[in-house]
Structure formats: structure tokens, C-alpha cells
Amino acid sequence: MIIPALHERQSKRGGYLTHADMESVAEELGIPMHRVNALVTFFPHFRTDPPPKVEVHVCRDMSCHLNGSVPMIQRVADWAEKKYGHDVEVCGVSCLGRCDRPPAAMVNEQLIACGSEAGIQQSIDAIMQGQQPEFNSDWELAKAKVGKWDMDIYGGSGRYERIREYITGGGDPDKVLKALENAGLLGMGGAGGRAYLKWGDVMRAEGTTGEKFIVCNADESEPGTFKDREILLAAPYLTIEGMILAALVVGATRGWIYIRHEYPEQIEKCRQEIARAVQLGACGRNIFGSSRSFELDVFPSPGGYICGEQTALIEAMEDKRAEPRNRPPELMTNGLYDQPTLLSNVETFAWAPAILKDGGDWFASQGIKEGPLTVGSSPAMKGKRLFSISGDLNQPGVYEVPTGTTLGELIDIHCGGMKDGKAIAAVALSGPSGGLLPPKIPVKFLSRRFVDANVPEGVTHIDIRDLPLDINVSRAVGYMLGAGIVIYGEGCNVLAEAVANSRFYRNETCGKCVPCRIGSEKVTEMGERLLAGDVTREEFDTFEPIALGLSGVMQATSICGLGQVASNPLQTFLKFFPDLARQACRNKPSEVAKS
């Protein structure tokens, strides 16, 4: 494959690719040079100029933005340029997946968590003086989770017993699918599709070559989301066993864990665990002495948030630019190399062993049965799941909780409450993709069917703390719920946070479709004008309808989910924070109004 070959060349060269490197890859793989060049110019991890002696990347999204990373980037960059010139490069980057330890930075691809201006400067000085700075590790946090989750049926050391049971018990795919159905297991990457349906579709698909594939999406580059980071260190064997079980059920023979390159510890841990599974006989050829085989490997991402979109991820694995495909056909019938492919999230695969051990009914029973907003016609809430939660909290982190746990319970019981006793100013329940919600949500913006069944007459607002964390309920109510939650405390500039989230999508669009490419730029421009006080009160009367209309067009016509949600940060700000929006306008009448 081209991308792994480019990774290898760049690593050997010392962080960049020469024209000769690219030519040698093309020659060795027997492909035209334009294919190599197309990948090098698309993916941000590849560079064609020698890197500086010190390369500093600082996250500028959500929790890091909330903790002042953007002005810090400029101050450190000015300091470095003055002291070291071109030998040090400091720049802001999209989310690094360490939202629980903001601001997060990577110095020569090594992690600095809770980065301070002085701490980053000290690391730069140390490297420039030929010394080794003290870097942080994700393992520092993950080791406390080993064997602690209900998900981890092995208590910290995977034994692959569910695979052995499947092999020795005759292997009944329908029994596995029924367990997944009874469990109500949903995709844990955000879309929330029903796992048993996806597994069943791939099992029944025929393909054209007889090959089927399993792919685990561990790209996890949605700002505010970092739960998969912890799973892959604390319990990688669960995800790997889930993938092998899926392969046995659907008839796949090869698989990959697609991991973002900013997770070097996770990449190495998964490779080690795959090797251990092979040694135990649970993976590779003749699984536990049977005729079944499944080869599993790790595919490090060449970078880019768009790779988290499942069809773009498959394009990258096929050595193409990561541009989302038009659908249908779906991946279950026409996925990797146009063959049936089961692609799911890290956590989705990781729950499969527990469900097969204790049964689908056991998993389903773990959900909360009732709560402040879970009566009447509310959907049944099943199972448990992991949430990444960060922001203005005393104990941000990854927590395994019953589905339907309220946001308030997650904050107060698990996160130790709000930082400095702050009140909630805004909440992002799905990273930037769901936009921002206010502490009190007007009932008029919720689903009428849900309100009629669950909200007492006369109540005009519901407390966001009472929202149950369940994707089915979220759909019924009318809000988005993902795996990454960010809490903004009072005192923050909600408009500035909304604009920062808009910039994220503008920066990360692949540019394939016009609505997203142009729309994300226009939405960001409108938000920046409002933030700069460049919108008059008179203009705002037309400004808001234009923004909402643009949002509708992007949602209806963009090819993939990025374009469909890119307008949500600004749209929800205008919808839920109208007073703040009008306060941001200038009082001075516009020149158009004067004339």
C-alpha cells in the first residue's frame, strides 16, 4: 500500500519526503507518480520540506480553546521566533484527543498535556540544548482504568474465551446476531446504527471475490472525544476480540484497526496485543485449531479529521485521497476494495465479548429505566456506554455509565461538579457537531411529540442537567448526542466558542463538495463578523435568516456528515442564545440603513 510506504520513508528520512522518496515508492509499487503526489499533497501528516529542529503543535479546539490555547500559541510562536528563528515552528492544529488535559500540545510528536506557556518553552529550550524534556503519556491515565469497567469481562488481561467458545461450540452466527439484537447495541461512534443489522448485512452480502473485511474506526478526531484512546490502552483485547468474533460471524478473513497517527502509544499497544492474540491462537491462521483464519493489522492514519467519516476512511485505506463517497451503495455490500466490509467504532466492538458472555438481555437491563425526562412514550434505554467529558469540570475524563444517566449526574457524581462552582453557560453534547445548547432549553424547540408525552403543561424550559444521555431519547427530543461532551462554565464567551467550532469545520473540510467547501467558509466568516462587532443591529435582522438558510442548504446537499453539521455551531448559537447574539451587534446604524 502507498500510504504505509510513505509513512516508512518519511520516518526514515527524519520527518519529511523528498521527490526521490516519492519516486522510489511509485517505482517499487508499480504505480504512476501522480497517485503518490495526490496523497502527499492531501494528507496533513506528510511534508515535503525538512522539518525544523523543534516542531510544536498546540490544539486550538473546544476544551483547549476554552483554556486559552489560541493566544498562548501566538505568544509561544513570537517567543520562539525571536529566540531560535526558523529552527522552531509553533502552530495551532485541530483536536489532539487530549481534551481532558488542556491545553494539549505535541512537541516533535511527543505529548505535553496540560501545557503551559512556560512548560512548552522549557521543552523547546531542552531540545535545542540537546537534552530530553519530560513528556506525558496517555498510559498515565489509562492504567487506572485497567480491569475497572463492566465492559472488561477479563478484569485486565484478555483471554479470548468468547472466541474459543464460538469455535468449539460449533459457531452459530444467528445466535450471535440475536444476542446483539436483544442487547440493543448501537454504534458508539456517533451515528448509532443497530449493530446486529450491520453485522447481518455483511454476513448475507456476497461480494465479487469472496473476500470480506472488518475495519475498526479508531480515528477519533472529533473535538471533545477521547474514549477510544483509553479503551485501546486499558483494554485493547476487547476491541480485538470483538473484531475477530465479527469476522467469524460474517465470514471475513482480514481486518484493520485504523488509528490516528497522533495516538502512537495506542498504535504500539494494539500491535503488541494482536501479536499476543496470534500467539494464543485467537487470531491469524487456524484460530484455536479450527479451519477459520483472520489476519489483523493496524493502519496508522495519515491525518485529517475527514478520515473519521467511514467512506473517506475506506478511500484512504485504498490509497486514495480521503474524500467521502456518494451513497448508496453502502459499505456493507461495497466497502474496502468494493467488497462487503463491516466498519464499526472501537467501543462497539469492545462490548461484543461482554454481550456474548452475559447475554443480550443482561446488557439491555443495564440502562436507566426512569428519570426526569424518561416517562410516557420515551424510548427504552438499554445498556451502558463510555462518555468523554471535558471543559469546566473538576474531574474531566472517560466514564462508563448506564445509558440514560442524566447530564447532571455525569457532571456531579462522576466529574466532581463544575470547576470553581461555576454555573453552566453552554453545553456541546456531540463535540462541535451538535452545536451549543443553553442551560435551560426552551420547550418550543423540542419535538412536540416528546413534549406532549413528557413535559408537564405550563413548563416553558427544561434544565439541560435533566437530559438523559441516550441516543434514542436524543433523537426523540431533537438534539444530537455523541461520545464527546464539553461543558462551558459561566464567564466564557459563548460566541467565541461557537466561532472556534465553525473554524474547525472550515479547516477540516476535504473540499470535495461545493456546499461544504464554500458553506463552511461563509458560515465562519459570518460568525467572525459577529464576534468582531462588525454586524449592525439593522443588518442582524437579515443576518440571522441568511445564516439559518445557508445552514439548511448545507444540511440538505452536502455529501457527508461534516458538511451537514458544519453550520450547527453558529446556527445553534443564533437559535439558543439570541440575547448574546444581539449584544454582539454594533449599535451604530449601517451605511446601507443611512442611505
Side-chain angles (χ1 to χ4, degrees):
M1 295 188 226
I2 306 173
I3 288 176
L6 291 172
H7 275 305
E8 181 183 5
R9 291 297 198 291
Q10 179 160 293
S11 178
K12 286 182 178 179
R13 178 68 61 181
Y16 73 108
L17 295 163
T18 65
H19 188 73
D21 291 328
M22 296 163 62
E23 283 186 327
S24 69
V25 168
E27 184 178 349
E28 288 176 16
L29 297 179
I31 55 174
M33 182 64 176
H34 72 81
R35 287 198 59 198
V36 177
N37 190 62
L39 300 179
V40 172
T41 56
F42 182 87
F43 292 107
H45 186 55
F46 298 130
R47 61 182 298 160
T48 55
D49 58 317
K53 291 180 181 178
V54 183
E55 192 173 15
V56 182
H57 291 165
V58 183
C59 177
R60 61 191 171 208
D61 292 320
M62 300 206 88
S63 293
C64 292
H65 184 274
L66 180 64
N67 281 269
S69 67
V70 172
M72 184 182 76
I73 292 167
Q74 189 59 56
R75 291 193 301 268
V76 175
D78 292 343
W79 169 86
E81 182 179 14
K82 183 177 180 180
K83 189 169 184 178
Y84 295 113
H86 297 300
D87 286 338
V88 177
E89 178 182 279
V90 181
C91 63
V93 294
S94 293
C95 183
L96 293 172
R98 278 80 180 193
C99 321
D100 49 345
R101 291 168 287 171
M106 301 286 280
V107 178
N108 287 354
E109 300 189 355
Q110 298 293 313
L111 175 63
I112 293 182
C114 303
S116 65
E117 189 171 344
I120 294 174
Q121 290 174 348
Q122 289 170 8
S123 297
I124 294 171
D125 284 336
I127 296 173
M128 292 300 293
Q129 294 165 14
Q131 301 170 1
Q132 179 67 16
E134 265 193 47
F135 291 117
N136 297 112
S137 166
D138 290 330
W139 179 245
E140 296 168 8
L141 294 182
K143 63 184 177 183
K145 312 291 176 58
V146 175
K148 302 298 184 183
W149 294 320
D150 285 348
M151 170 196 293
D152 190 351
I153 56 175
Y154 299 118
S157 180
R159 297 185 293 277
Y160 300 98
E161 292 172 356
R162 306 288 76 75
I163 296 172
R164 188 184 295 276
E165 287 179 0
Y166 185 89
I167 292 293
T168 59
D172 185 348
D174 290 331
K175 184 177 179 180
V176 174
L177 295 182
K178 189 62 178 177
L180 296 177
E181 181 181 7
N182 291 343
L185 180 66
L186 303 178
M188 301 294 188
R194 287 176 285 185
Y196 85 94
L197 289 178
K198 187 182 283 190
W199 287 38
D201 287 344
V202 178
M203 182 181 74
R204 289 183 288 271
E206 295 184 0
T208 57
T209 66
E211 279 193 293
K212 295 181 182 180
F213 304 113
I214 307 293
V215 178
C216 176
N217 184 350
D219 189 63
E220 194 172 54
S221 45
E222 179 86 5
T225 308
F226 47 94
K227 65 181 178 65
D228 296 344
R229 181 199 80 197
E230 300 255 297
I231 296 173
L232 294 179
L233 285 184
Y237 42 83
L238 296 178
T239 296
I240 289 170
E241 183 168 28
M243 293 180 71
I244 299 169
L245 286 166
L248 295 173
V249 169
V250 308
T253 55
R254 296 185 67 192
W256 291 266
I257 306 175
Y258 186 105
I259 308 180
R260 62 182 306 188
H261 70 85
E262 294 93 344
Y263 282 178
E265 291 177 84
Q266 289 76 5
I267 291 171
E268 183 58 27
K269 185 74 170 180
C270 285
R271 284 174 170 161
Q272 291 174 358
E273 184 58 33
I274 290 170
R276 192 177 78 89
V278 171
Q279 187 178 26
L280 292 173
C283 189
R285 295 185 176 278
N286 307 119
I287 296 173
F288 288 132
S290 71
S291 61
R292 304 295 300 274
S293 298
F294 181 66
E295 303 291 340
L296 183 59
D297 202 355
V298 173
F299 190 104
S301 171
Y305 168 75
I306 192 61
C307 292
E309 198 281 333
Q310 58 179 353
T311 64
L313 182 153
I314 293 297
E315 290 288 289
M317 290 187 67
E318 292 182 355
D319 289 325
K320 301 172 185 173
R321 295 162 73 93
E323 296 176 341
R325 298 177 178 178
N326 289 310
R327 297 155 63 190
E330 300 295 337
L331 298 181
M332 288 80 80
T333 56
N334 300 82
L336 185 62
Y337 306 126
D338 206 33
Q339 301 308 307
T341 302
L342 174 59
L343 188 151
S344 285
N345 174 261
V346 170
E347 186 185 353
T348 310
F349 283 122
W351 276 111
I355 290 171
L356 295 189
K357 174 182 179 290
D358 295 319
D361 292 336
W362 163 81
F363 181 81
S365 70
Q366 300 304 300
I368 300 293
K369 298 299 179 290
E370 290 186 5
L373 292 174
T374 56
V375 295
S377 62
S378 298
M381 295 184 287
K382 299 179 178 181
K384 282 190 164 187
R385 64 175 299 180
L386 273 64
F387 284 102
S388 320
I389 182 166
S390 60
D392 282 323
L393 301 164
N394 287 322
Q395 299 168 20
V398 175
Y399 298 97
E400 182 191 69
V401 298
T403 300
T405 297
T406 66
L407 178 63
E409 290 169 336
L410 183 60
I411 292 172
D412 296 332
I413 298 174
H414 298 277
C415 299
M418 295 291 292
K419 186 177 180 180
D420 299 326
K422 294 179 179 180
I424 294 175
V427 175
L429 286 172
S430 184
S433 60
L436 298 175
L437 296 177
K440 304 287 185 181
I441 305 176
V443 168
K444 65 180 181 180
F445 291 129
L446 302 181
S447 159
R448 175 49 52 191
R449 179 179 177 184
F450 183 86
V451 170
D452 290 343
N454 296 279
V455 181
E457 188 175 352
V459 174
T460 58
H461 292 74
I462 64 171
D463 193 323
I464 198 166
R465 286 173 166 270
D466 291 338
L467 287 180
L469 300 177
D470 175 73
I471 195 168
N472 288 320
V473 174
S474 74
R475 289 168 175 165
V477 175
Y479 64 90
M480 288 182 65
L481 177 68
I485 300 171
V486 181
I487 309 296
Y488 296 94
E490 62 182 344
C492 81
N493 186 330
V494 178
L495 174 55
E497 299 304 328
V499 172
N501 292 344
S502 295
R503 290 187 186 119
F504 168 78
Y505 287 117
R506 178 199 63 189
N507 296 339
E508 293 294 336
T509 178
C510 74
K512 179 179 180 178
C513 67
V514 172
C516 180
R517 184 176 69 244
I518 304 300
S520 61
E521 176 64 41
K522 185 62 178 177
V523 165
T524 304
E525 176 190 316
M526 294 179 76
E528 288 176 338
R529 285 192 59 214
L530 189 60
L531 181 62
D534 193 34
V535 178
T536 66
R537 293 286 179 90
E538 292 81 0
E539 184 184 2
F540 185 75
D541 292 336
T542 58
F543 179 91
E544 183 176 15
I546 290 173
L548 296 178
L550 176 59
S551 176
V553 171
M554 293 176 67
Q555 291 173 1
T557 59
S558 294
I559 291 176
C560 81
L562 190 157
Q564 291 161 13
V565 302
S567 62
N568 281 350
L570 181 61
Q571 178 194 17
T572 54
F573 175 78
L574 295 174
K575 179 179 180 180
F576 292 116
F577 302 90
D579 292 341
L580 293 180
R582 290 195 171 275
Q583 287 172 20
C585 297
R586 287 188 290 122
N587 289 316
K588 179 182 176 182
S590 66
E591 294 301 318
V592 174
K594 285 182 180 180
S595 61

